[in-house]
Amino acid sequence: MTVPRYTPLAQSLPATVPFVGPETQERQRGAPFIARIGANESVFGPSPRAIEAMQRAAGEIWMYGDPENYELRHALAAYHGVAPENIVVGEGIDGLLGYLVRLLVGHGDAVVTSDGAYPTFNYHVAGFGGDLHKIPYRDDHEDPEALFAKAAEVNAKLVYLANPDNPMGTWHSGADIVAAMEALPEGCVLVLDEAYVECAPEGTAAPVAADDPRVIRMRTFSKVYGMAGARVGYAIGAPGLISAFNKVRNHFGMNRAAQAGALAALEDSDWLAQVQDQIAEARDRIARIARSNGLEPLPSATNFVAIDCGHDGVFAKAVLDSLVEQGVFVRMPFAAPQNRCIRVSCGGEAEIVAFEAALPKALASTRAV
Amino acid sequence: MTVPRYTPLAQSLPATVPFVGPETQERQRGAPFIARIGANESVFGPSPRAIEAMQRAAGEIWMYGDPENYELRHALAAYHGVAPENIVVGEGIDGLLGYLVRLLVGHGDAVVTSDGAYPTFNYHVAGFGGDLHKIPYRDDHEDPEALFAKAAEVNAKLVYLANPDNPMGTWHSGADIVAAMEALPEGCVLVLDEAYVECAPEGTAAPVAADDPRVIRMRTFSKVYGMAGARVGYAIGAPGLISAFNKVRNHFGMNRAAQAGALAALEDSDWLAQVQDQIAEARDRIARIARSNGLEPLPSATNFVAIDCGHDGVFAKAVLDSLVEQGVFVRMPFAAPQNRCIRVSCGGEAEIVAFEAALPKALASTRAV
């Protein structure tokens, strides 16, 4: 008998991880990045009020955070015009996706996503033994109709759709998503990941009734709110599903300073508006840089731009490798045909300048091979 | 067909939570506590260097934390004289216990713990469908021999032992634990929760070889290091089991400021020593207060004192309720016969004074009923 005796599922899981962190790459290359624009973090940072709240809370970090996330949940409910019972707060969308999958997906249960969409969702589905069905992107967009049709075909318990999409940055109108939801099969929950919706055009957020049992929406303070390192995400859904999280979540899992920071960030709408402007400007600059190098930027409703490098995944990977080598941390889509692109997060002046300098060299060295 | 279709396991889980937080009680009573000494938090707070590190990191919270926890893991390895491969960092011991149970325990798998030991462990075992066997305390101590004998009897995959114990504060010598481990059945992992070991007498930490596959030790920055709200725990174990956490953990789950704070806390041994002294002094004062009220304090190797109220659980609960009503947050053991006690965390001057004033009234009102 070996020790430990893992569950058959745990034994079957690969040791792969969803993402290699930039710190790991920095250790490998032996130097820090000069531009950290690969993980769709917000270089514009959080509201100064959020920073101040977190710094103040550091002095009271000897106390556990409120396991009910009461104040933050109530503030979010007021912000969205829903009830506190419609909101669960968790350790980033990643943490919430894990809990959601755990609640719904067991061995062999069918789940549907797009081929090349968020790997951490796939990681959780595999981690609970689900059977994942992948639908191709259509014209670089996730394809709600095809996703929901596949969900009906395989009797899926859960279907994942990011709007706006990561890694392509494309989007659908929220109204179109809601219309497409009519085709969701009975007994299927749509997890609608709206991580980037705060920098998307008006009308992108799905106008879903908070108590609609067919859908749970994911939001985060990691992207436009600039607090990725704090680990604060939340989900909006029907009270039954929301309260089910209490059966499995890490009740004392939230960092107390992060709770305070998120609350302060939510209240600073001026800062949010300013970051939205900075993101829009940075997207335009990244797009211009792409075009001036003969590449095609995809339209984006996110805080990053996917840039079509005009060839296949091997070519794009070579461009990416050269950028990384030059100290510019960027990432790229995992699946074809999206992997003809590189994905560049919005940066400030320093990051944009570094990218602008590095891209021509990356293209030249790649084309020279 | 209902929506959502929970897994049979999720459907079977109760909606109960391991602990009600003090904030919830404050909301219920409509007033803040004057002494927060119920959750074994450290009112002495973290090292000022840890606070400073967290405040500094608040400004860079737009970045995800390093998913490998590289610096903290390496510092912990050096601190303990083990390899980095022996260490996994996670979102508090609670988070790590969840991952550990998930790796090992499936439907109907046998697990052993003490009756009245850490409820969050039981919560995780239930949450993954395990079959939990409970062994009585012996003379207010957890009983390693009986635990390991039961583990052999039921072919347990996992057995839980806290040393020092929570909620009683009692302890065994680490050497005795290691000796008792000889009786661990093959194929069984001991999870040895050493959350309080930094304020226990010399010799309490189990002198276990880091690569011993029979045991995984849990440590935390929540207790003596005074960082409960940061959510930083770690486990020390054999590389195989440690690396298995990478199959299921939330790789980007750590708060970046918490990582920096824990690293700084670990480096401030002077602060740790000072807190150890403060804890020892507070334990003595709480014990004296108990005795001067005719109650019997249990010896403690933790940052709290269990006080035997001399009657049954109903009596102790009435004492506790009165303390809470008077603004003194304390807790008590859940299971008989330990629930004849109340559990009082070490406080500073203000908390001790508040407890000293409230206890006689609590006893008088309870005895008057």
Side-chain angles (χ1 to χ4, degrees), chain A residues 86-90 96 216-219 233-237 242 245:
Chain A
N86 292 118
I87 308 260
V88 59
V89 170
L96 290 166
I216 183 167
R217 282 172 290 163
M218 297 286 174
R219 300 288 184 95
Y234 61 102
I236 313 173
I242 292 300
F245 280 79

Side-chain angles (χ1 to χ4, degrees), chain A residues 205-231:
Chain A
V208 174
D211 290 349
D212 191 326
R214 300 172 302 167
V215 59
I216 183 167
R217 282 172 290 163
M218 297 286 174
R219 300 288 184 95
T220 185
F221 286 89
S222 297
K223 301 303 175 186
V224 186
Y225 284 102
M227 292 174 55
R231 311 317 299 129

Side-chain angles (χ1 to χ4, degrees), chain A residues 1-7 10-21 23-24 27 36 39 41-43 45-46 51 54-56 58-59 61-68 70 91 94-95 102-106 109 123-124 127-128 155-157 186-189 213-214 222-223 226-231 240-241 244-258 331, chain B residues 1-7 10-21 23-24 27 36 39 41-43 45-46 51 54-56 58-59 61-68 70 91 94-95 102-106 109 123-124 127-128 155-157 186-189 213-214 222-223 226-231 240-241 244-258 331:
Chain A
M1 197 183 288
T2 58
V3 176
R5 288 178 286 166
Y6 299 107
T7 67
Q11 202 140 26
S12 76
L13 294 174
T16 55
V17 302
F19 292 105
V20 175
E23 288 82 4
T24 304
R27 287 187 290 268
R36 183 167 161 140
E41 298 158 328
S42 184
V43 302
I51 294 177
M54 288 184 280
Q55 289 176 332
R56 207 168 35 233
I61 207 78
W62 63 272
M63 292 183 275
Y64 287 104
D66 173 15
E68 296 191 16
Y70 185 93
E91 305 91 340
D94 285 1
R102 179 173 163 195
L103 284 168
L104 299 180
V105 178
D109 284 337
Y123 169 79
H124 289 308
F128 290 100
N155 189 24
K157 279 180 151 182
E186 239 192 296
C188 180
V189 171
R214 300 172 302 167
S222 297
K223 301 303 175 186
M227 292 174 55
R231 311 317 299 129
L241 180 54
F245 280 79
N246 287 328
K247 296 178 169 192
V248 297
R249 70 186 180 92
N250 186 358
H251 286 265
F252 287 84
M254 292 298 295
N255 180 290
R256 187 179 183 93
R331 284 193 176 134
Chain B
M1 197 184 288
T2 58
V3 175
R5 286 179 287 166
Y6 299 106
T7 67
Q11 202 141 26
S12 76
L13 293 174
T16 55
V17 303
F19 292 106
V20 174
E23 288 82 4
T24 304
R27 286 188 290 269
R36 182 167 161 140
E41 299 159 328
S42 184
V43 302
I51 294 178
M54 288 185 279
Q55 289 176 332
R56 207 168 35 234
I61 207 78
W62 62 272
M63 292 185 273
Y64 288 102
D66 173 16
E68 296 190 16
Y70 184 93
E91 306 90 338
D94 284 1
R102 179 174 164 194
L103 284 169
L104 299 181
V105 178
D109 284 339
Y123 169 80
H124 290 308
F128 289 100
N155 189 24
K157 279 179 152 182
E186 238 191 297
C188 180
V189 171
R214 300 172 302 166
S222 296
K223 301 303 176 187
M227 293 175 54
R231 314 316 299 128
L241 180 54
F245 281 78
N246 287 328
K247 296 178 167 191
V248 297
R249 72 186 179 93
N250 186 359
H251 286 265
F252 288 84
M254 292 299 295
N255 180 291
R256 186 178 183 94
R331 283 192 178 136

